[in-house]
Amino acid sequence: MANERRILVVPKEQSSKSLQQLRLPHPRTGILSSYYADVQNEALLEAATIDMKGKRSWLGDGWVLGNGSASILTPVDPLFLYLALITKFSKAGEGEWKFVDIDSLQLESHEQMDAASLIVFFGMKSVQSRALVTLCEVKIISSDMQVVKIDNSKVIDWLKRKCDVSRFPKSLEGVVSSAAGCEELVRQAKVREMALLVSEYLPQYWATRLFAEFGGFAEVSENEQLLSKRVQAVVFDDPTSYTMGVSSPQASTAKPAKPKSAKEKQLEKAAKKSKPITSFFQKKA
């Protein structure tokens, strides 16, 4: 399996030759998922596989791959994975956290996850330093030991920065069209869509906290409900009520005459030229 050939579509900043495949828990679901680590640049890529279900193959220089699937790799912020792991092992109660040794965190995680993948992931030291500074309260116990716990305010500040509307994808512009005409509603609608995107990588606890920080986007939801009611209030005519060539569809229910075929026209013409049968029985004078 280690030498199994795969087709990867990678960002131009990375080379597939320097990537290591990892099996790490998805930060939202906890299910082991496929990632690739660029250890040299300390970057993490998420793999999304396009499954062709045996309907195509790949042909290369001297090789054939019967499985026509391909994996598209996109960058993902590794801090999402750190947040999920530290949340899991440092939670002491609802909104309460205990200090944990970051090194023992690796050992505890090994019991339920891919140990080799976690060693590579935790081995990216600049990523780990950034995660601890951004998400945690850190205590130095000794020169070779530090303990950490979740810092609520730091996490919320980081998540809110992730929802900055300056990063709003152009592909989602149509989603916020219902708020058009009110600049503030448009802004809130964009923030909500950003929060939904970010929540795809959050445990439920933090997704709930993030939406609460924005007030649940009540004004945007109210505007969408009003728009929905306006659309439902519009009465559309039933297309079946219309009759071709009739100005008032309700005034007539007659169906338009079916065009005559060429054969029917010939028979009708011949019938007009023929004499009636009574002409053969006229009385002689």
Side-chain angles (χ1 to χ4, degrees), residues 8-25:
L8 304 178
V9 182
V10 304
K12 62 181 180 180
E13 297 82 11
Q14 272 87 30
S15 168
S16 59
K17 296 180 180 179
S18 64
L19 298 177
Q20 295 186 44
Q21 186 179 22
L22 307 179
R23 295 281 290 170
L24 296 170

Side-chain angles (χ1 to χ4, degrees), residues 45-63:
L45 306 172
E46 182 181 24
T49 300
I50 302 175
D51 187 359
M52 298 307 298
K53 299 180 180 179
K55 294 182 179 180
R56 64 179 292 178
S57 301
W58 291 100
L59 302 178
D61 185 9
W63 56 268

Side-chain angles (χ1 to χ4, degrees), residues 175-212:
V175 177
V176 300
S177 59
S178 62
C182 178
E183 185 175 341
E184 177 57 22
L185 278 179
V186 169
R187 188 194 69 79
Q188 289 187 32
K190 287 184 175 182
V191 173
R192 185 187 63 174
E193 293 305 315
M194 292 295 291
L196 287 170
L197 289 175
V198 171
S199 295
E200 287 295 316
Y201 295 90
L202 294 178
Q204 185 59 50
Y205 174 82
W206 290 112
T208 302
R209 286 288 308 273
L210 177 60
F211 269 72

Side-chain angles (χ1 to χ4, degrees), residues 65-136:
L65 185 61
N67 181 0
S69 300
S71 293
I72 299 177
L73 307 188
T74 53
V76 61
D77 193 336
L79 267 63
F80 284 115
L81 280 77
Y82 264 100
L83 176 60
L85 287 170
I86 298 175
T87 295
K88 179 177 181 178
F89 291 103
S90 72
K91 196 168 187 179
E94 188 62 31
E96 298 180 357
W97 313 96
K98 62 183 179 181
F99 281 100
V100 293
D101 178 3
I102 194 65
D103 293 324
S104 67
L105 181 64
Q106 299 182 48
L107 296 175
E108 291 180 44
S109 303
H110 286 179
E111 297 177 2
Q112 307 167 28
M113 306 168 197
D114 186 332
S117 294
L118 283 168
I119 290 173
V120 174
F121 180 64
F122 282 116
M124 295 190 288
K125 293 302 182 183
S126 66
V127 172
Q128 184 179 108
S129 297
R130 183 163 64 92
L132 300 187
V133 169
T134 304
L135 307 173
C136 301

Side-chain angles (χ1 to χ4, degrees), residues 3 13 34 43 62 64 69 94 96 99 124 149-150 155-156 163 179 186 188 217 252 271 281:
N3 296 322
E13 297 82 11
S34 184
V64 177
S69 300
E94 188 62 31
E96 298 180 357
F99 281 100
M124 295 190 288
K149 72 174 182 178
I150 289 291
V155 173
I156 291 298
C163 297
V186 169
Q188 289 187 32
F217 302 102
S252 174
F281 301 98

